[in-house]
Amino acid sequence: MIVLGIETSCDETAAGIVADGKEVLANVIASQADLHQAYGGIVPEVAARRHIELIVPTIETALHEASLSLGDIDAVAVTSHMGLVGCVAVGVSAAKSIAFARDLPLIGLQHIEGHIYANHLEHPDLDPPFLCLTVSGGHTQLVLVEGRWRYRTMGETLDDSAGEAFDKVARLLGLGFPGGPEIDRLSAEGDPRAFRFPRPLEKAKSFDFSFSGLKTAVKNRIAELERNSGSLPKADVAASLQEAIADVLVGKTMRAARTLGVDTLAVTGGVAANSRLRQLFAERATEAGVRLVMPSKRLCTDNGAMIACAGYHRLRDGFRSSLELDAVASATLGEVEYEHALA
Ligand code: KG4
Ligand code: ZN
């Protein structure tokens, strides 16, 4: 089954084409980063307008890359739940139009479910139960995947996401947007022990996260450094921030894995592309004898292939959306309603 996956929930206009949930035939991402750079963050209205301009060319490019035409597509999957609602609506309209015009099955997906299924693209043998950490610009969520389509949220951020912490500190350091990749690059030249930034909720019993205090601590330290020495050791600040975020994410996730007794761990979302986070997870998982699965970096950030993959699995299990499908700004994982749920 060849599935076209469409993703427009934030600032990437993305279309992926995937065969049988695992063979990526195309994965085109038209980033709007340059557009939002001037504002230092995503402006929802601006993003939605750009999606309208980019969605058709992006789908056409994906078809071209896969050497296919619309007639070869068997189903259309789209992020319909979670995100900037004006942005999500653009993808949903495109998906519904194609499904209606070609009489194809349509499946709407919750965005985080797409991130979770990014793991299945390269690891089709990944089966529940497993623990999945989704870390991105919009989310920091630790979920126990108990069974197919059965999720138990173990913890999430109480304030900022891990991605926001990266992006906001990058902005303070005068780096580009999105800040995560910039901090990642700059950290390679810095000392992660130069500053001991707080590890919020590290010792708390719950599996929740909090990153806004860390951001404030870094902000205050930057101001102090500028006041006292007039210069800013940007690479050291970046590496120390990255170390603090990685410590908290890895520490909590490994503790949750131990507490729950799960032997498989998945880590996904844009922040999962971070080099230090990947390295630390790999070390700790090996020590603990836990299987670690992470999508390759290009599949961690928002993309259409992950949506096509999740859509393939949903459709195979009998789920389907109707042409009444609507864009929804916020929705819990596993709570999207389907019209023709046979499973
Ligand atoms: O998953 P994603 O593309 O979009 C959302 O669903 O939010 O994640 C984007 C986030 C941004 O905050 C970006 O700075 C962060 O992922 N990110 C990274 C890296 N690459 C992307 N953060 C740290 N290190 C990276 N290499
Ligand atoms: Zn995302």
Side-chain angles (χ1 to χ4, degrees), residues 1 3-10 14 16 18 21 75-85 87-89 91-93 95-96 105-118 120-121 139 148-149 151 302-322 324-339:
M1 187 200 289
V3 181
L4 167 66
I6 297 173
E7 157 62 46
T8 60
S9 67
C10 196
V18 176
V76 187
V78 63
T79 299
S80 54
H81 288 63
M82 282 277 266
L84 303 168
V85 75
C87 296
V88 180
V92 169
S93 303
K96 287 200 311 194
L106 172 71
I107 187 88
L109 295 155
Q110 202 261 16
H111 181 72
I112 293 199
E113 193 163 86
H115 276 300
I116 292 175
Y117 272 81
H120 293 75
L121 282 167
H139 327 279
R148 262 173 102 76
W149 320 118
Y151 305 102
D302 289 351
N303 67 88
M306 69 185 196
I307 300 302
C309 179
Y312 164 81
H313 285 275
R314 278 272 180 196
L315 289 163
R316 218 190 57 181
D317 283 4
F319 297 96
R320 201 169 153 159
S321 301
S322 79
E324 307 289 305
L325 182 68
D326 238 335
V328 175
S330 93
T332 313
L333 191 54
E335 282 189 0
V336 177
E337 284 185 16
Y338 291 98
E339 285 269 309

Side-chain angles (χ1 to χ4, degrees), residues 3-215:
V3 181
L4 167 66
I6 297 173
E7 157 62 46
T8 60
S9 67
C10 196
D11 64 336
E12 324 272 17
T13 315
I17 301 175
V18 176
D20 299 329
K22 51 179 189 278
E23 195 189 342
V24 180
L25 304 177
N27 198 20
V28 178
I29 302 166
S31 172
Q32 302 184 5
D34 288 355
L35 185 66
H36 300 285
Q37 180 97 36
Y39 306 98
I42 298 156
V43 184
E45 181 65 24
V46 173
R49 282 166 193 269
R50 183 53 71 90
H51 282 306
I52 293 170
E53 290 164 9
L54 291 175
I55 188 68
V56 173
T58 302
I59 294 170
E60 281 172 344
T61 308
L63 287 167
H64 180 75
E65 207 171 87
S67 302
L68 295 174
S69 71
L70 263 188
D72 299 310
I73 301 296
D74 298 311
V76 187
V78 63
T79 299
S80 54
H81 288 63
M82 282 277 266
L84 303 168
V85 75
C87 296
V88 180
V90 178
V92 169
S93 303
K96 287 200 311 194
S97 308
I98 295 169
F100 176 68
R102 314 290 312 192
D103 197 20
L104 295 175
L106 172 71
I107 187 88
L109 295 155
Q110 202 261 16
H111 181 72
I112 293 199
E113 193 163 86
H115 276 300
I116 292 175
Y117 272 81
N119 289 294
H120 293 75
L121 282 167
E122 292 164 318
H123 306 281
D125 62 331
L126 177 64
D127 274 327
F130 63 91
L131 186 65
C132 185
L133 174 72
T134 303
V135 263
S136 70
H139 327 279
T140 305
Q141 202 173 63
L142 191 56
V143 168
L144 177 64
V145 183
E146 295 177 300
R148 262 173 102 76
W149 320 118
R150 285 197 296 118
Y151 305 102
R152 181 145 62 102
T153 302
M154 303 307 303
E156 52 200 328
T157 184
L158 303 176
D159 39 59
D160 288 356
S161 69
E164 272 176 286
F166 275 113
D167 293 339
K168 287 178 177 172
V169 171
R171 200 172 162 188
L172 292 171
L173 293 175
L175 306 174
F177 175 84
E182 301 282 333
I183 298 248
D184 196 344
R185 258 191 301 276
L186 190 59
S187 295
E189 300 157 26
D191 176 6
R193 287 170 306 274
F195 305 102
R196 173 79 194 171
F197 291 131
R199 270 78 172 147
L201 300 183
E202 191 181 31
K203 300 276 182 283
K205 262 194 161 168
S206 83
F207 298 119
D208 287 330
F209 302 92
S210 163
F211 291 103
S212 87
L214 170 60
K215 175 199 67 194

